[in-house]
Amino acid sequence: AAERGPGAAYHMFVLMEDVLEKLKLLSYEEEALRRHNMRPLSRCGPGSGAPAQLNPAHYFALPTNPGEQFFMFCTLAAWLITKAGHPFEQPQEYDDPNAIISKILSELRSFGRPVDFPPSKLKAGYGEQACYVLDCLAEEALKYTGFSWKRPVYPTEELEEEEITEGDAEITLNKLEEEAVEEESDNEENFIDLNVLKAQTYKSDISDSAKQEDILESTTDAAEWNLEVERVLPQLKVTVRTDNKDWRIHVDQMHQHKDGIESALKETKGYLDKLQNEISRTLEKIHSREKYINNQLEHLVQEYRSAQALLSEAKEKYQEGSGGVTERIKVLSEITEVLERVKQEMEEKGSSMTDGAPLVKIKQALTKLKQETLQMDIRIGVMEHTLLQSKLKEKSNMTRDMHATVIPETTVGVY
């Protein structure tokens, strides 16, 4: 509420007023409340001893009686959903509130209305969420019934001009005196003498006493009186409508159920006693028969026990022997694995000894080496030849320079 603004706390009152106006347009008191024998929204006044709820527009906005408010909310919501064209079962007083709330919210979602609050907010039967749900359902009901808002038509009031005459405005002193004289004469006519009043009261008292004496001395026939009583008696019966919400009806129902349970218990108790006696007799017969059978089959039971002991000993011996066998089987499996590995190695060595593939590979490698050596020899010869040529050329140059008379400048510094 603080995030929306300072007036958000009073938004529910405005919303509840809109809901109340829409409910009035849908005639909720005649169609919903009177049909279910429910009181209209409370109109508590000041000093009535009720909670401070001066306006029915505050019914679902303020907490007064959560149980009554929740039942009223569910009843109006169910009626509005039915009014909007969706059949909805009328909730009862002892139904599960969570189931009712979930049904109402699912119907509200089916109308395309968003529900962005948890269902537990509606359990209290009051608050902004309850007013929102009723407002949305009332709008859908008005749409379904074809209601449309129209512009207000204001009646035109014509102002009447008062005509004031000069004769009426001027009041003379003579007229005032005449009116005063007339009032005094009227008062004298209305005056009653006290003596006359006393005489009249005395006569009325005498007539009343005479009437009372006449009533005491009744002349009515008893048979006619009884016939009249029998005729009027059916009309004098007062039929009180039973209200399912009254606690006295629940107490009477509880007493009726209690009497029914006690009467049914008296009838069934005899049958249960007979059944108990029969079951006890059959159990005694079974115990006696069991003892007889045990006595007759005692030697067979002893033989069975001895055979059972021998069987257990044989099982123990078998387990011991089976344990040794399993160990020997493991050793045998290990030996067979070693033997298989040795066989594989022997087969590989024998195949390598008889196979000529390595010799072929060696010969191929030798031929390849010979070819490479020939190529290297040729290259070495070529290199030696080039070196010899270069040495001879240098030697010829040296001899030529030695025999030359003039050494050119360009050749100086070469050697």
Side-chain angles (χ1 to χ4, degrees), residues 114-360:
V115 179
D116 54 355
F117 55 88
S120 60
K121 293 286 186 180
L122 299 177
K123 271 191 177 181
Y126 65 90
E128 187 176 356
Q129 290 78 15
C131 297
Y132 168 77
V133 172
L134 291 176
D135 185 58
C136 294
L137 294 175
E139 286 182 1
E140 295 297 331
L142 289 172
K143 288 179 184 177
Y144 186 79
T145 54
F147 180 83
S148 61
W149 299 97
K150 296 179 181 178
R151 291 181 176 273
V153 178
Y154 299 100
T156 58
E157 296 180 0
E158 295 180 0
L159 298 174
E160 296 179 359
E161 295 180 0
E162 296 180 356
E163 295 180 356
I164 301 172
T165 59
E166 295 178 359
D168 294 333
E170 294 178 357
I171 300 173
T172 59
L173 183 61
N174 295 325
K175 288 183 179 180
L176 290 173
E177 290 178 354
E178 288 176 0
E179 289 177 358
V181 170
E182 288 177 357
E183 288 179 359
E184 289 177 358
S185 63
D186 292 335
N187 292 329
E188 289 178 357
E189 289 176 358
N190 293 328
F191 180 74
I192 298 172
D193 192 3
L194 292 174
N195 296 324
V196 177
L197 184 61
K198 287 180 181 180
Q200 289 178 357
T201 54
Y202 179 71
K203 289 179 181 179
S204 64
D205 293 336
I206 293 170
S207 62
D208 291 337
S209 63
K211 288 180 180 179
Q212 289 177 1
E213 290 176 357
D214 293 337
I215 291 169
L216 291 173
E217 294 177 359
S218 178
T219 58
T220 306
D221 190 6
E224 293 179 358
W225 181 263
N226 291 328
L227 290 173
E228 184 66 20
V229 169
E230 290 178 358
R231 186 180 68 80
V232 182
L233 186 62
Q235 299 178 2
L236 298 176
K237 289 182 179 179
V238 179
T239 58
V240 181
R241 290 185 178 180
T242 59
D243 190 4
N244 294 325
K245 299 177 185 177
D246 193 3
W247 62 271
R248 296 180 184 84
I249 294 172
H250 296 302
V251 172
D252 293 337
Q253 289 178 357
M254 290 169 65
H255 286 301
Q256 290 176 3
H257 292 314
K258 182 182 178 183
D259 296 335
I261 291 168
E262 289 178 354
S263 61
L265 182 61
K266 289 178 182 178
E267 294 178 0
T268 55
K269 191 173 182 181
Y271 296 112
L272 292 174
D273 292 335
K274 290 179 182 179
L275 185 61
Q276 183 182 3
N277 294 327
E278 290 178 359
I279 291 169
S280 61
R281 284 198 297 271
T282 52
L283 287 173
E284 289 177 357
K285 289 180 181 179
I286 290 167
H287 286 305
S288 61
R289 179 63 66 179
E290 186 178 0
K291 289 179 181 179
Y292 176 74
I293 290 169
N294 289 330
N295 292 326
Q296 292 292 326
L297 301 176
E298 188 174 359
H299 63 284
L300 295 175
V301 172
Q302 290 179 357
E303 290 178 359
Y304 175 74
R305 288 174 181 173
S306 62
Q308 193 79 16
L310 293 172
L311 179 63
S312 62
E313 291 178 359
K315 283 182 179 179
E316 289 178 358
K317 290 180 181 180
Y318 173 74
Q319 288 178 357
E320 291 177 358
S322 63
V325 171
T326 53
E327 290 178 358
R328 289 180 178 81
I329 288 170
K330 288 181 180 178
V331 174
L332 179 62
S333 63
E334 291 176 358
I335 292 169
T336 51
E337 288 178 358
V338 173
L339 182 61
E340 287 179 357
R341 286 202 299 272
V342 171
K343 284 182 179 180
Q344 288 179 359
E345 290 177 357
M346 291 295 290
E347 288 177 358
E348 290 177 357
K349 287 182 179 179
S351 62
S352 63
M353 290 174 68
T354 57
D355 192 6
L359 293 174
V360 173

Side-chain angles (χ1 to χ4, degrees), residues 28 33 38-42 59-60 66-78 90 125 134 245:
Y28 78 103
L33 300 183
M38 296 176 69
R39 293 179 298 175
L41 300 183
S42 60
Y59 187 79
F60 292 112
E68 181 183 351
Q69 285 176 307
F70 178 74
F71 185 70
M72 180 72 78
F73 167 75
C74 295
T75 304
L76 290 176
Q90 188 66 31
L134 291 176
K245 299 177 185 177

